[in-house]
Amino acid sequence: MLYTIFRALFKFLLQIFYRIEFRGAENIPHQGAVILCSNHISNLDPLVMGIGVMHRKVHYMAKEELFRIPVVSFFVRRFGAFPVKRGLNDRQALKLAMKTLRDQHVLGIFPEGTRSKTGKLGKGHLGAAMFAMRTDAVVIPVAIIGPYRLFGRLKCIYGSPLDLSEYKEGEMTRDRAREATDEIMAAIGRLIEQHG
């Protein structure tokens, strides 16, 4: 209930201050495991990506530091975030991400791993592809097109589901995960190019 109220409130505020436009949310299945893979240009990206999906709650891996700030921790937890230690192989966070998908929820991931300082799309880490290859999750590319400028224009575009079935066949290797990651990043790049 609290999540629904705050999501509606933040969506209203973002539409006022950033004139945000959402497109393609109908591409996100109403049930089953889903991985949303987005570019990363601002600390507000998780909020933006989540509130555009009004029919489902989006869960995130968020940097551990956010959970040390009482007020911020209160909100990020209620918005479905769980902590991850950046730069480390955080097995607990990986287990929680896999559990989120096995429980048929929506997981939001920023494959670049950190915000782009230039706004340009960077190289993706392998995590999102590995999760997709190990589960039956539907992968949706997402493009957040800024910049975040007060009363400017901001877009959040949810693309069509990607067919990554060929990468799930046979043995899972790092090379196959890299190929799947490159395909995810290319799809995000096309959305940015088409709607930017």
Side-chain angles (χ1 to χ4, degrees), residues 14-20 147-154:
L14 284 168
Q15 285 176 321
I16 290 176
F17 292 114
Y18 293 107
R19 298 169 66 199
I20 192 165
Y148 284 80
R149 188 168 45 234
L150 280 178
F151 307 114
R153 279 206 169 277
L154 190 66

Side-chain angles (χ1 to χ4, degrees), residues 9 37 48 53 88 91 97 100 106 123 130 141 152 159 161 166 169:
L9 173 62
C37 295
V48 167
V53 187
L88 300 173
R91 292 185 181 278
T100 298
V106 181
K123 189 171 184 177
M130 299 285 271
E166 65 178 288
E169 298 170 2

Side-chain angles (χ1 to χ4, degrees), residues 16-86:
I16 290 176
F17 292 114
Y18 293 107
R19 298 169 66 199
I20 192 165
E21 177 186 354
F22 296 97
R23 293 186 199 167
E26 67 276 4
N27 290 322
I28 301 167
H30 283 256
Q31 57 188 10
V34 176
I35 303 173
L36 301 179
C37 295
S38 176
N39 61 318
H40 199 5
I41 58 175
S42 166
N43 284 329
L44 291 175
D45 290 342
L47 184 62
V48 167
M49 184 163 65
I51 62 175
V53 187
M54 295 303 286
H55 57 289
R56 303 206 49 189
K57 183 175 183 175
V58 181
H59 301 262
Y60 303 92
M61 286 191 282
K63 59 184 179 181
E64 186 187 36
E65 295 87 341
L66 293 176
F67 293 84
R68 297 176 191 158
I69 308 166
V71 175
V72 175
S73 177
F74 173 83
F75 282 104
V76 294
R77 285 184 190 280
R78 275 148 190 80
F79 268 85
F82 52 91
V84 61
K85 297 172 184 173
R86 295 194 300 176

Side-chain angles (χ1 to χ4, degrees), residues 180-192:
T181 299
D182 290 345
E183 186 164 331
I184 291 169
M185 299 310 290
I188 296 171
R190 286 194 295 272
L191 289 175
I192 294 171

